[in-house]
Amino acid sequence: MNYAAEVWTKVLSLMAGDGEGKLSQTTINAWFDDAKPVSLDEKSFVLCSPTPFKRDLIAKRYLPHIAAALKELFSAEMEVRIIGEEELEQAETGGDDFLPGTEEYTFDKFVVGSSNKYAYTAAQAVAENPGTKGYNPLFIYGASGLGKTHLLYAIAHAVHRKFPQHRIVYIKGDAFTNELVNAIQRRQNQEFRDKYRSADVLLMDDVQFIAGKDYSQEEMFHTFNSLYEAGHQIVFTADRPPKEMSRLDERLQTRFSWGLPVDIQPPDYETRMAIIKNKAIRRGVDLPDPVLRYIADNITSNVRQIEGTVNKILAFHELMGEEIDVDTVSRAVRDMFKEKSEFLPTVDEIIEEVAKFYNIDPKDIRGQARTRNIMRARQVAMYEIRRMTNLSQDSIGKEFGGRDHTTVKHSIEQVEKLIKTDPGMAEVIKDINANINARYE
């Protein structure tokens, strides 16, 4: 179903008539006969008119009529834009391939509420005037799934539109470490430094992943200094503020706090309602208020889970052809309403996250290699599996090439001892736990 086209048909019907403020059918036929609806979301409606003369006249005379009809349909103010064929072609082909796959992550598509308004406003300020001292670096922190990455992409797209000559670099913290390791192995250190130190805007997601990694932190220290002194914009996201990253180099903790640290909290009830309605409208479905309230009451942790719930409901509706009511929604997503504690990560998932953290192959953790880094990762994996699953020590040993339960017991005790005596190990476990839990949020 083309929801924008269906709405446009209703708008034309609402604009037509003999009463005050209405347009005659002759007027509508004359000026809107070749107009084509392009897109509709919770804030705006875009219409294409291929003839410049018609387009200009519609913009001057009839946009208020369209806006009034939309308000009558949706009980909300909406922006109306009219574009030409060239702009339509650019929209349909996806523009200039800047950060492909992230086109939806713009400021217009970010649902603002009391829990994220400060971060949203700060991100907009950065996009308007990158490099401003008071906002450099901008450090956005909060739990997984609350919209931090969305804001990073929104900054990137806004800066790209306003300053197309700016060089924008987006990278995740773990990818930064991996790139650095590869650069060192290939003796391409200078190419690596040129990539990041020549950026006009550097956007790093999940910067906490460089904490505790000496080479990555050293490289980031010099990259930060180079960009900051040149007046170039730096934006970080993380799951906690800099001062709480105990494994992060003190020099970086200080620098990350120089500008503006802002947090994002889980969405409140009103914001959850807006997110659900927004997501449904984009999929062409107007969810009844009881359904909106039911989802908002039951899915409370983060935006990602809310969007996943709406997607599942709409897929269920499309596949089964049933009306969307509270009973239908309850059947479609009852598994998503379980307590988080009911979800148990698999052994493979835990080992994958530990391997990712230590930058090694999961096969090495299960295997017989005895380098210091791999042995520590293996101990941590055993500890996490024992803590986060129902497996016995014997069963855990079988997951690691048939190792004896005494080996597993020793590994777990070693990690427990380090957690109590070494703040760095406690931070390692905290990071890995967050990454494992994020798979279920």
Side-chain angles (χ1 to χ4, degrees):
M1 176 180 66
N2 186 336
Y3 191 51
E6 183 178 314
V7 168
W8 177 235
T9 300
K10 293 178 180 178
V11 166
L12 290 173
S13 176
L14 288 170
M15 289 195 300
D18 298 325
E20 184 179 351
K22 298 293 184 178
L23 304 178
S24 70
Q25 194 61 52
T26 301
T27 298
I28 289 177
N29 292 339
W31 298 107
F32 297 104
D33 61 329
D34 54 359
K36 179 165 64 170
V38 177
S39 66
L40 171 72
D41 59 33
E42 79 286 359
K43 292 182 179 178
S44 63
F45 178 73
V46 180
L47 187 70
C48 175
S49 181
T51 309
F53 177 69
K54 283 187 179 181
R55 186 164 66 249
D56 291 344
L57 191 136
I58 291 171
K60 290 177 181 178
R61 294 186 184 178
Y62 300 121
L63 287 191
H65 293 80
I66 299 173
L70 288 167
K71 184 174 182 180
E72 186 174 344
L73 277 175
F74 294 105
S75 301
E77 300 285 348
M78 298 184 73
E79 177 192 6
V80 181
R81 287 199 306 119
I82 183 163
I83 63 175
E85 286 188 320
E86 289 185 3
E87 291 173 280
L88 175 63
E89 183 179 349
Q90 185 180 44
E92 290 176 340
T93 57
D96 58 3
D97 294 328
F98 175 71
L99 291 177
T102 70
E103 294 82 5
E104 287 294 307
Y105 296 101
T106 62
F107 286 119
D108 288 342
K109 300 289 175 61
F110 189 87
V111 179
V112 183
S114 60
S115 59
N116 58 28
K117 187 173 183 180
Y118 188 28
Y120 173 83
T121 305
Q124 280 193 314
V126 163
E128 280 294 312
N129 192 13
T132 303
K133 284 286 184 181
Y135 300 90
N136 199 20
L138 176 62
F139 195 103
I140 306 171
Y141 64 92
S144 176
L146 297 182
K148 301 187 300 295
T149 300
H150 187 141
L151 287 179
L152 276 191
Y153 286 137
I155 291 170
H157 286 292
V159 172
H160 181 63
R161 285 194 301 271
K162 187 171 183 179
F163 307 99
Q165 75 282 4
H166 274 22
R167 187 167 181 275
I168 303 167
V169 177
Y170 168 87
I171 189 72
K172 295 180 91 56
D174 56 343
F176 181 84
T177 294
N178 293 337
E179 279 190 27
L180 177 58
V181 170
N182 290 333
I184 292 172
Q185 290 173 344
R186 298 174 183 177
R187 298 183 180 179
Q188 296 176 339
N189 301 45
Q190 192 57 48
E191 289 87 339
F192 177 88
R193 290 165 184 161
D194 290 344
K195 173 182 177 179
Y196 292 101
R197 298 182 194 182
S198 64
D200 294 292
V201 179
L202 174 63
L203 309 167
M204 181 173 286
D205 214 355
D206 293 324
V207 71
Q208 72 270 10
F209 285 126
I210 73 169
K213 297 177 172 65
D214 292 341
Y215 286 122
S216 296
Q217 292 187 117
E218 185 68 20
E219 195 62 43
M220 174 50 66
F221 174 74
H222 294 294
T223 297
F224 183 101
N225 289 344
S226 177
L227 293 175
Y228 187 84
E229 290 166 6
H232 296 173
Q233 182 67 51
I234 307 163
V235 185
F236 296 118
T237 72
D239 61 354
R240 74 204 81 154
K243 64 182 179 181
E244 293 183 14
M245 297 182 188
S246 62
R247 294 188 308 123
L248 187 67
D249 187 299
E250 187 175 346
R251 298 177 302 173
L252 290 178
Q253 284 189 17
T254 301
R255 281 161 174 75
F256 288 180
S257 302
W258 275 354
L260 181 64
V262 295
D263 71 327
I264 296 182
Q265 297 295 324
D268 57 22
Y269 180 81
E270 290 76 14
T271 305
R272 295 199 300 273
M273 288 280 285
I275 292 169
I276 297 162
K277 190 167 187 177
N278 169 21
K279 187 70 175 178
I281 285 176
R282 290 191 210 170
R283 289 283 297 271
V285 177
D286 189 12
L287 293 176
D289 285 344
V291 171
L292 292 174
R293 290 193 293 270
Y294 180 76
I295 302 171
D297 284 337
N298 285 278
I299 303 295
T300 61
S301 61
N302 63 51
V303 176
R304 190 178 298 139
Q305 191 181 33
I306 291 170
E307 291 184 339
T309 302
V310 174
N311 285 337
K312 187 166 184 179
I313 291 167
L314 299 183
F316 186 84
H317 167 67
E318 291 166 2
L319 293 172
M320 304 301 292
E322 297 188 31
E323 290 298 317
I324 299 180
D325 55 27
V326 171
D327 289 338
T328 303
V329 169
S330 178
R331 292 199 309 275
V333 296
R334 71 167 55 92
D335 63 312
M336 300 183 77
F337 291 164
K338 294 179 182 177
E339 290 295 324
K340 190 173 178 180
S341 59
E342 293 183 47
F343 292 107
L344 295 178
T346 67
V347 171
D348 287 342
E349 288 170 341
I350 294 172
I351 291 176
E352 283 173 11
E353 291 299 339
V354 173
K356 180 180 177 182
F357 182 86
Y358 282 96
N359 197 32
I360 58 179
D361 192 312
K363 293 179 181 177
D364 290 334
I365 292 181
R366 292 181 184 269
Q368 302 300 319
R370 297 186 61 82
T371 65
R372 183 177 179 181
N373 194 47
I374 292 175
M375 288 181 66
R376 178 52 50 80
R378 188 178 297 132
Q379 290 177 336
V380 169
M382 290 180 178
Y383 167 84
E384 291 284 48
I385 292 168
R386 180 60 174 159
R387 193 184 67 83
M388 303 184 81
T389 74
N390 295 323
L391 292 183
S392 66
Q393 293 180 3
D394 282 329
S395 298
I396 294 172
K398 292 176 183 178
E399 295 286 344
F400 292 83
R403 285 178 166 83
D404 188 83
H405 78 279
T406 57
T407 301
V408 177
K409 183 174 183 291
H410 174 73
S411 296
I412 293 170
E413 289 174 348
Q414 283 292 104
V415 175
E416 289 175 341
K417 180 180 178 181
L418 285 170
I419 290 173
K420 293 176 181 177
T421 59
D422 180 3
M425 177 53 72
E427 194 78 4
V428 167
I429 297 300
K430 183 177 181 179
D431 284 342
I432 293 172
N433 288 345
N435 297 333
I436 294 170
N437 290 333
R439 290 174 175 247
Y440 297 94
E441 293 177 342

